[in-house]
Amino acid sequence: MSAATFPVQRPMRQGGSTSLDVAAWRRDFPILARRMRGKPLVYLDNAATTQKPKAVIDAIAGYYQDTNANIHRGVHSLSQEATEAYEGARGKIQRYINAAETAEIVFVRGTTEAINLVAQSFVRPRLAAGDEILVSEMEHHSNIVPWQLLCAATGAVLRVIPMSDRGELLMDEYLKLLGPRTRLVSVVHVSNALGTVNPVREIIAAAHAQGVPVLLDGAQAVAHRPVDVRLLDCDFYAFSGHKLFGPTGIGVLYGKRVWLDAMPPYQGGGDMIKSVSFEKSIYNDVPHRFEAGTPHIAGSIGLGAAIDYVGSIGLTRIAAHEQTLLAYATGRAHEVPGMRLIGTAQEKAGVLSFVIDGIHPHDLGTVLDCEGIAIRTGHHCAMPVMQHFHVPATARASFAFYNTEEEVDRLFEAIGEARRLLG
Ligand code: C6P
């Protein structure tokens, strides 16, 4: 890797008092006891999806076992219990991200659906030909394609904030791109492909100074650092439950009440209306206006349990442990000849994206799999990032609080093995 693009750090095993905590946290995740290919599983694909603690698994099973009923519909007690559990989860999410009220928390399928909802319901009615939507060069496809669809339908233009070769947004360029035609800024809080933590407060302040609302893609942030939507002052914040130790198929769109109230429904159906006749339907209040049909009740309850679980550990401790892992892994990466880190921003989350001379990431991933180590290889649904760095793909190890330095050691032993076999 290039010493010019990253400060040299000695790899130091940290160990110490937290290793006992990590051992205890690991016991909460049944899957971490699995063996893959005859070896203890090393799960380093947390940016793709996180594992689920028993508390979440039990909450989902418990709902189906004891409380299963449809919500907002029945006068019977079971339905009321299910409704309370579903709305209770909304309250947990509100407190987790410090939203002003539960009405600002919309349940969706995930980050992707949240962004599409904003695109169709908030931006589309405000967009004319020649208007601009601003995204960054490091976006996930789910924060690119919905805007391209919108631009194709309206004649609006997608503008892109460029980044440096370290994977940091060029803020001067951003300020130049913000203009009278900008209708929305939509940027990722933490990049899944690079690990970059973007200066979102600065981005938001600059946009607001020009009256432009901001959506943050928080898919890779909410499980790894405290997020306070009121402190950030973002207009929308999107995330997925499955990257926050919760179930798949459930996610959240946070929106400021003032915007949500002004937005038309995204989908039509049951539960999103107050009354329906063939002449006219009257829509429900927010957030229910955006939750047509029977929602993922078990999913929201599971997500609520995940938030309780994360709260029991504390995001500050989680962030500190993951930073330790990142620093250790980064230091070890410096020792591997021919290894180049993709994403060397000053402020990074626990994502180590890299390429190794002469070894295709997919081949590396296969060798690692034989050692029981799960990483992701490919473009990470961020093809423009690959284009920037002129690579077809990267290998990516992404950390969660239950990972250990011993697991990082196993990763680098297996990388050494891959270099011997394939290099
Ligand atoms: N990134 C990864 O391996 P969904 O699929 O809707 O839950 O999340 C989409 C998404 C949006 N934004 C960012 C920054 C993301 O990282 C993701 C999902 C996974 O990196 C799967 S491609």
Side-chain angles (χ1 to χ4, degrees):
M1 61 169 294
S2 152
T5 56
F6 204 80
V8 175
Q9 293 166 317
R10 287 302 305 160
M12 292 223 327
R13 294 286 299 275
Q14 302 293 320
S17 60
T18 62
S19 59
L20 278 178
D21 298 333
V22 179
W25 299 335
R26 287 180 69 82
R27 284 195 291 277
D28 294 332
F29 291 79
I31 206 169
L32 296 180
R34 274 202 68 179
R35 296 179 77 82
M36 304 301 294
R37 309 270 196 150
K39 314 235 164 78
L41 167 67
V42 174
Y43 187 77
L44 298 175
D45 197 14
N46 295 287
T49 197
T50 52
Q51 296 302 345
K52 319 305 170 200
K54 191 144 187 323
V56 168
I57 299 166
D58 288 349
I60 297 167
Y63 163 72
Y64 282 123
Q65 203 163 288
D66 299 325
T67 320
N68 180 50
N70 213 328
I71 55 162
H72 299 150
R73 288 160 170 86
V75 291
H76 61 79
S77 303
L78 210 51
S79 172
Q80 283 170 16
E81 270 185 34
T83 303
E84 272 165 33
Y86 178 79
E87 293 301 335
R90 200 191 301 278
K92 290 177 187 182
I93 294 158
Q94 177 214 338
R95 291 187 289 280
Y96 186 68
I97 60 171
N98 195 30
E101 47 181 319
T102 51
E104 295 182 323
I105 305 299
V106 181
F107 282 121
V108 289
R109 278 190 296 134
T111 310
T112 305
E113 188 174 46
I115 296 172
N116 277 278
L117 195 167
V118 175
Q120 294 303 327
S121 178
F122 178 70
V123 182
R124 189 175 187 143
R126 291 171 169 74
L127 215 55
D131 284 346
E132 296 173 0
I133 293 156
L134 209 45
V135 298
S136 85
E137 202 182 353
M138 67 175 80
E139 298 308 320
H140 185 276
H141 298 165
S142 63
N143 199 21
I144 300 173
V145 185
W147 309 116
Q148 289 175 328
L149 290 170
L150 212 52
C151 289
T154 61
V157 182
L158 189 64
R159 307 292 299 272
V160 182
I161 310 162
M163 65 181 170
S164 71
D165 291 343
R166 295 177 67 134
E168 290 173 333
L169 292 184
L170 299 178
M171 292 299 282
D172 289 348
E173 298 302 317
Y174 166 58
L175 297 179
K176 281 187 224 155
L177 283 164
L178 261 180
R181 300 304 302 261
T182 315
R183 293 289 166 266
L184 183 83
V185 173
S186 189
V187 290
V188 72
H189 191 170
V190 174
S191 157
N192 68 320
L194 302 166
T196 308
V197 180
N198 280 320
V200 286
R201 284 186 74 173
E202 227 177 300
I203 290 171
I204 292 165
H208 283 180
Q210 307 217 21
V212 178
V214 179
L215 183 160
L216 294 182
D217 170 352
Q220 300 294 347
V222 278
H224 306 285
R225 50 185 44 238
V227 170
D228 181 329
V229 290
R230 276 191 279 177
L231 197 66
L232 291 170
D233 198 25
C234 56
D235 298 274
F236 297 98
Y237 198 93
F239 62 95
S240 304
H242 70 98
K243 296 186 200 286
L244 176 51
F245 313 102
T248 52
I250 189 77
V252 171
L253 172 68
Y254 157 80
K256 280 184 181 166
R257 178 80 189 252
V258 61
W259 295 131
L260 293 180
D261 274 339
M263 284 160 58
Y266 170 53
Q267 295 176 333
D271 219 26
M272 51 71 70
I273 43 80
K274 284 184 172 163
S275 73
V276 175
S277 72
F278 284 113
E279 290 69 40
K280 184 179 169 63
S281 295
I282 299 183
Y283 306 132
N284 211 337
D285 298 327
V286 300
H288 310 293
R289 185 192 303 164
F290 303 108
E291 295 176 5
T294 301
H296 188 3
I297 306 167
S300 63
I301 291 168
L303 178 54
I307 283 174
D308 286 343
Y309 179 81
V310 168
S312 73
I313 295 176
L315 277 164
T316 310
R317 281 165 94 193
I318 286 174
H321 179 63
E322 291 176 5
Q323 283 301 314
T324 303
L325 290 176
L326 178 68
Y328 181 57
T330 304
R332 292 224 46 181
H334 283 279
E335 296 179 333
V336 181
M339 184 162 174
R340 176 163 70 108
L341 292 185
I342 303 293
T344 52
Q346 195 96 36
E347 209 187 330
K348 270 188 72 173
V351 170
L352 198 77
S353 217
F354 58 92
V355 289
I356 297 180
D357 284 349
I359 305 179
H360 193 283
H362 290 322
D363 295 334
L364 177 69
T366 305
V367 172
L368 264 52
D369 180 54
C370 292
E371 298 298 317
I373 301 168
I375 61 160
R376 184 167 173 190
T377 61
H379 53 62
H380 316 297
C381 300
M383 282 184 169
V385 171
M386 304 299 122
Q387 286 150 15
H388 179 103
F389 288 96
H390 307 290
V391 292
T394 75
R396 182 189 70 184
S398 50
F399 305 118
F401 62 83
Y402 43 62
N403 290 125
T404 64
E405 289 174 358
E406 289 73 17
E407 289 182 311
V408 175
D409 287 340
R410 278 198 47 206
L411 169 70
F412 279 92
E413 273 161 33
I415 288 173
E417 182 63 18
R419 288 186 62 247
R420 277 187 291 281
L421 285 171
L422 308 167

